[in-house]
Amino acid sequence: MLLLKLSAQDLLALNSRRRMVPHLAARWKHFRGSDASLSERSAWAESLVDLAKDLVAANRGNVEMIVECAATVDESDRPGAPRLIDVVLIGHHPYTRGLSVQLVELKRWSMVTRVEAATAELVHVPGMGEKKHPAVQLREYFDAFTGARGPLSGLDFECGGFAYLHNATDASVKPLMDLDAPTGAYARMYTNDGRGRLMSDLRKHFAEDGGASAAEMLLRSMQLRNTPLLDAMIRSRGEDTVFTLRGRQQEVADQILGTTSLVLGDPNQPALMPDERRVVFLVTGGAGTGKSAIGLQVKAELEANGRTVKYASGSRAFNGAIQEHVGYGDREFRESFTYFSSFVTPPEPPLDVLLCDEAHRLRDRSTSRFWRPEQQGTKPQVDELLEASRLTVFFLDESQSVRPNEVGNVELIENAAKRHDAELVRYRLREQFRCGGSDAYIRWVRAVLGVTDDVAEQWTPDGLMHIEVADSPEELEQVIRSEALAGASARMVAGYCWPWTKPLGKEKRLEADVRIGDWHRPWNADSESFCENGAPPSKIWSVHQDGLEQIGCVYTAQGLEWDWCGVIMGDDMVRRDGKWVFRRGKERKDLEAGVKRVAVPGSFDPKVRASSVDDGGFARLVRHAYHVLMTRASRATVLYSTDEETRVYLKDLVGNVQIHGLRPTWENLPPEARVPHLPRPRRGGRNRSRNRRDKGQPGQKTLF
């Protein structure tokens, strides 16, 4: 958890625009569930700004300030309130060039007295009563950051800490500095009298440059900058461990693994009396909360333990990316990924575990126009999945259902578990790992689109995620292409607002269906094979190097991510008189080209715009589609709307975001953040271990 990450000079720029305190207050309410107090807001407005000014005055304006920060994501699961350090200053040491970290407690105390017959670790603050000596708090933070489980463990670092009492004088808080006061690298005290000494010490601890680079290293160690899903999968080839799970993620994974061991027993020693119990896990969470990471990690560990397990999804794009980009040349691995519709006939014997990702995409029935009548499903698809295995795990985000025939929701799974007399275990994921770990960005997107009832407010840069609005599709494409050429992963996506032509002729030519003025680009190929000029089939468009030449949609982007994502909003969702208006499009035949074109702007998604979908359902599905598209980036989203009034609205909400150093272009990123994305592995099977790793008993908390 953190509320803000900016360099000192950028924090002052943000404060000058009167946006720093409102941003911190909104983040505080999200994490803590209550409004920030007036005292807390005043401390941010005064103490935080004074510290930033001192850094700039000391010529250390590039030092990064991480505000209201917890050492690890595990803090959110501690009993009581999480331990939040007021500020973590991070940069590079001027001599060793290693990480330099200073933990800071900001106090607005103007006077302190001793508590009679008490230790020096307790002081009296007029108007506030007895308080811990600030060094006592700093000692706890120091241990949390530098301990074996802390984010600085294993890194080359110097760490200290200090309390800054900018309203006090040395004489007015003398008890804090007495001979018997707590000591240590974290126990320094500065008052207004000591500003000169503070600035001198800041120069001793921090180099002039390198703050962003150092902060990136710390964020990665804190698991706030996650390895992209596909890269993590490729790096795990031949290994049992796929992802590093933290906090609630690890708890969910341990519970699933522990319950598997209890219910299914030892796969090498069948029980005399088989355990007939069934268990259904329901894991809910928003985009980027780590649902797929948990599922893929659990899959790897179950396979290593000799379990029969499959990973099912309703997304061809997700499965295609995993199968083609990660499992290239490995038939066994590829076949372990399947679809919800693959279980019309249940496997015999049943699987041990079936992991169902993106369960919001469950259909009512498993059907296909390509199947014979006897192959069509006759019962609810969710029942087929439950009958396919002993333990079933559903990962669900109800705000990502994007088609009217997608029926997956909490109630559906609850009712199915009752029908099958299965134990239902629910988990809710909260921490945000996509979009640079910026839950503020996720909440902003949801408010802007009206997915939630929150009032849409102007975006406040938080140092984790970047957003901007382009004036034209050409400008959007130029930004995305330049980042891709520089080394970032990047894609362009759009709302389904143009007809979609299948590849034409023997050469499988792609028609430029997405047409905005003189700018024309094709959709990703509606094909199972490569098309003209090497255009990849839709299922691997998201990961193929030539995918940048086509425009993706929600069906080929869902479940995936890139560093930069250009999102084109079409005329299916436009702003009018302070409200969103949703429109269904109509097509016409272009006789000369022999293809369909736009006659009436709006949605061209055949399932979503159908007359059988009422207006409320249509609006909900369009909102959800853009919610998915706008949460695919891990560093920056570039928006463009084909509608001028909507563009003006978006520009007002995004505001002026060109603050120094905050545009995360590949060139601007510190070297530690320039992680190259991996090519798909060469053909050849994976040397996957079938031996259980020595990691202790999974799951300290079990159901049975």
Side-chain angles (χ1 to χ4, degrees):
M1 169 183 169
L2 62 85
L3 299 194
L4 187 67
K5 181 201 76 73
L6 290 177
S7 68
Q9 59 193 7
D10 289 337
L11 185 143
L12 292 178
L14 189 63
N15 184 64
S16 69
R17 291 158 51 191
R18 302 179 185 277
R19 292 172 65 186
M20 182 192 73
V21 172
H23 168 75
L24 290 171
R27 297 268 286 170
W28 178 277
K29 185 172 183 178
H30 171 73
F31 280 115
R32 306 299 293 272
S34 60
D35 291 326
S37 66
L38 180 61
S39 174
E40 197 74 46
R41 292 169 183 260
S42 298
W44 293 331
E46 297 175 20
S47 305
L48 199 56
V49 170
D50 276 7
L51 178 60
K53 287 179 178 178
D54 289 340
L55 282 160
V56 171
N59 196 27
R60 295 300 182 267
N62 283 321
V63 169
E64 294 279 321
M65 303 177 67
I66 302 178
V67 181
E68 298 285 358
C69 173
T72 69
V73 296
D74 300 338
E75 279 292 320
S76 60
D77 291 325
R78 288 180 69 248
R83 294 173 297 186
L84 301 181
I85 179 74
D86 287 343
V87 185
V88 176
L89 300 180
I90 184 163
H92 284 295
H93 195 275
Y95 308 118
T96 67
R97 300 303 297 177
L99 286 182
S100 184
V101 179
Q102 292 292 313
L103 309 174
V104 185
E105 268 295 298
L106 299 173
K107 301 295 185 186
R108 293 192 301 144
W109 304 344
S110 57
M111 180 178 293
V112 166
T113 58
R114 289 292 294 268
V115 175
E116 187 176 353
T119 68
E121 293 191 351
L122 203 62
V123 295
H124 183 272
V125 180
M128 301 178 70
E130 295 182 359
K131 293 290 182 180
K132 287 182 180 179
H133 192 291
V136 176
Q137 291 177 275
L138 287 164
R139 180 195 302 152
E140 293 181 10
Y141 303 138
F142 183 87
D143 291 342
F145 273 86
T146 63
R149 298 184 61 197
L152 293 175
S153 178
L155 300 178
D156 176 21
F157 71 91
E158 175 197 87
C159 184
F162 61 88
Y164 189 21
L165 298 91
H166 63 98
N167 287 333
T169 63
D170 288 351
S172 67
V173 293
K174 186 175 181 297
L176 297 180
M177 306 176 187
D178 277 349
L179 293 177
D180 59 349
T183 59
Y186 45 78
R188 301 191 310 279
M189 299 286 143
Y190 300 99
T191 68
N192 189 51
D193 291 341
R195 287 188 70 247
R197 183 165 49 91
L198 169 61
M199 287 189 284
S200 175
D201 287 347
L202 290 172
R203 286 189 285 266
K204 291 177 183 177
H205 289 297
F206 296 107
E208 291 184 35
D209 57 1
S213 176
E216 187 69 28
M217 294 173 66
L218 183 63
L219 291 178
R220 286 187 177 278
S221 186
M222 294 169 69
Q223 301 297 315
L224 287 172
R225 294 286 199 203
N226 269 16
T227 302
L229 183 143
L230 293 179
D231 286 354
M233 289 291 289
I234 292 173
R235 288 195 177 100
S236 75
R237 288 173 64 87
E239 302 290 338
D240 290 337
T241 298
V242 179
F243 297 96
T244 299
L245 303 181
R246 300 297 299 270
R248 188 70 162 172
Q249 291 181 332
Q250 188 63 61
E251 182 181 343
V252 174
D254 284 348
Q255 178 72 86
I256 295 170
L257 294 169
T259 302
T260 301
S261 297
L262 283 170
V263 174
L264 302 181
D266 187 339
N268 299 315
Q269 297 180 358
L272 294 176
M273 295 291 292
D275 191 330
E276 299 296 335
R277 288 173 294 181
R278 288 179 176 270
V279 182
V280 173
F281 286 90
L282 175 57
V283 184
T284 59
T289 50
K291 299 183 297 296
S292 296
I294 294 171
L296 292 167
Q297 177 66 42
V298 167
K299 175 181 181 290
E301 298 205 24
L302 290 171
E303 288 177 332
N305 294 342
R307 304 292 184 187
T308 58
V309 55
K310 286 206 172 187
Y311 199 97
S313 169
S315 170
R316 293 181 71 251
F318 179 85
N319 272 16
I322 292 287
Q323 292 172 331
E324 297 295 326
H325 199 64
V326 180
Y328 179 66
D330 184 349
R331 180 178 177 181
E332 181 185 0
F333 179 79
R334 289 162 58 96
E335 290 180 349
S336 67
F337 289 86
T338 186
Y339 298 95
F340 295 151
S341 58
S342 301
F343 299 96
V344 174
T345 301
E348 185 58 44
L351 300 168
D352 290 333
V353 181
L354 178 60
L355 300 156
C356 300
D357 203 354
E358 300 203 3
H360 41 272
R361 302 201 67 180
L362 285 169
R363 271 55 166 188
D364 182 38
R365 296 283 190 276
S366 297
T367 60
S368 172
R369 59 191 176 94
F370 300 109
W371 294 353
R372 297 188 300 273
E374 64 271 18
Q375 294 176 307
Q376 308 289 338
T378 59
K379 62 180 65 173
Q381 190 177 74
V382 66
D383 285 357
E384 295 171 354
L385 299 175
L386 290 180
E387 292 171 4
S389 64
R390 292 285 307 284
L391 274 76
T392 313
V393 185
F394 293 98
F395 299 99
L396 175 72
D397 177 7
E398 290 181 329
S399 67
Q400 289 199 59
S401 59
V402 293
R403 276 196 164 179
N405 62 343
E406 294 175 353
V407 299
N409 57 43
V410 171
E411 183 181 8
L412 179 86
I413 294 169
E414 289 176 341
N415 291 337
K418 289 178 183 177
R419 287 197 300 273
H420 289 263
D421 195 25
E423 179 83 24
L424 179 65
V425 185
R426 299 175 181 84
Y427 279 101
R428 173 73 181 172
L429 299 173
R430 299 182 300 273
E431 293 91 357
Q432 171 56 236
F433 295 96
R434 187 173 284 156
C435 299
S438 175
D439 59 276
Y441 173 75
I442 298 289
R443 288 185 289 109
W444 182 85
V445 167
R446 292 165 69 87
V448 168
L449 296 176
V451 175
T452 64
D453 294 330
D454 295 339
V455 176
E457 297 180 344
Q458 193 175 59
W459 166 245
T460 299
D462 62 358
L464 297 177
M465 187 64 187
H466 174 81
I467 184 168
E468 56 191 67
V469 179
D471 290 316
S472 67
E474 290 87 354
E475 180 185 340
L476 179 144
E477 182 176 23
Q478 191 276 328
V479 172
I480 296 302
R481 282 189 178 277
S482 64
E483 288 306 306
L485 290 173
S489 61
R491 283 294 183 273
M492 292 181 287
V493 297
Y496 199 157
C497 296
W498 294 267
W500 199 317
T501 307
K502 288 185 176 292
L504 300 169
K506 292 183 179 179
E507 71 278 15
K508 304 186 77 171
R509 176 178 60 84
L510 298 187
E511 176 65 23
D513 288 315
V514 181
R515 307 171 76 84
I516 306 171
D518 295 331
W519 186 84
H520 305 158
R521 292 293 180 271
W523 288 112
N524 59 250
D526 184 2
S527 171
E528 294 294 327
S529 58
F530 283 85
C531 299
E532 186 181 47
N533 298 323
S538 60
K539 67 180 180 180
I540 60 170
W541 161 84
S542 63
V543 292
H544 194 276
Q545 61 183 4
D546 292 328
L548 192 63
E549 304 302 319
Q550 304 92 41
I551 308 298
C553 75
V554 65
Y555 304 116
T556 47
Q558 196 165 32
L560 301 165
E561 65 178 321
W562 309 280
D563 294 329
W564 283 71
C565 187
V567 180
I568 299 172
M569 295 186 70
D571 286 283
D572 56 348
M573 184 173 178
V574 297
R575 198 74 180 175
R576 295 290 184 269
D577 300 322
K579 296 186 297 184
W580 285 112
V581 174
F582 300 87
R583 307 194 297 200
R584 307 176 202 235
K586 294 183 179 180
E587 60 200 25
R588 63 178 175 82
K589 187 68 176 289
D590 185 327
L591 297 178
E592 182 178 347
V595 297
K596 295 176 181 177
R597 298 284 187 232
V598 174
V600 176
S603 173
F604 278 78
D605 189 323
K607 300 290 186 182
V608 172
R609 70 168 179 168
S611 59
S612 58
V613 180
D614 63 27
D615 289 345
F618 174 70
R620 177 180 61 83
L621 294 171
V622 172
R623 290 184 203 270
H624 284 187
Y626 283 117
H627 174 250
V628 170
L629 296 178
M630 291 171 65
T631 54
R632 295 307 95 193
S634 61
R635 290 196 178 275
T637 298
V638 183
L639 282 174
Y640 170 76
S641 173
T642 54
D643 178 72
E644 183 177 1
E645 187 173 334
T646 306
R647 266 197 321 277
V648 171
Y649 173 70
L650 293 173
K651 276 182 169 289
D652 287 344
L653 280 177
V654 171
N656 176 21
V657 297
Q658 299 301 320
I659 297 178
H660 167 77
L662 283 186
R663 195 166 185 265
T665 62
W666 195 257
E667 184 180 72
N668 286 346
L669 291 178
E672 291 79 3
R674 298 179 196 165
V675 180
H677 295 272
L678 301 178
R680 75 179 182 183
R682 296 178 181 178
R683 184 179 293 276
R686 298 170 8 137
N687 180 26
R688 288 180 293 162
S689 170
R690 290 291 179 181
N691 297 319
R692 180 170 181 160
R693 294 184 296 112
D694 181 19
K695 60 163 290 190
Q697 290 298 319
Q700 300 303 311
K701 302 175 184 176
T702 54
L703 287 174
F704 306 108

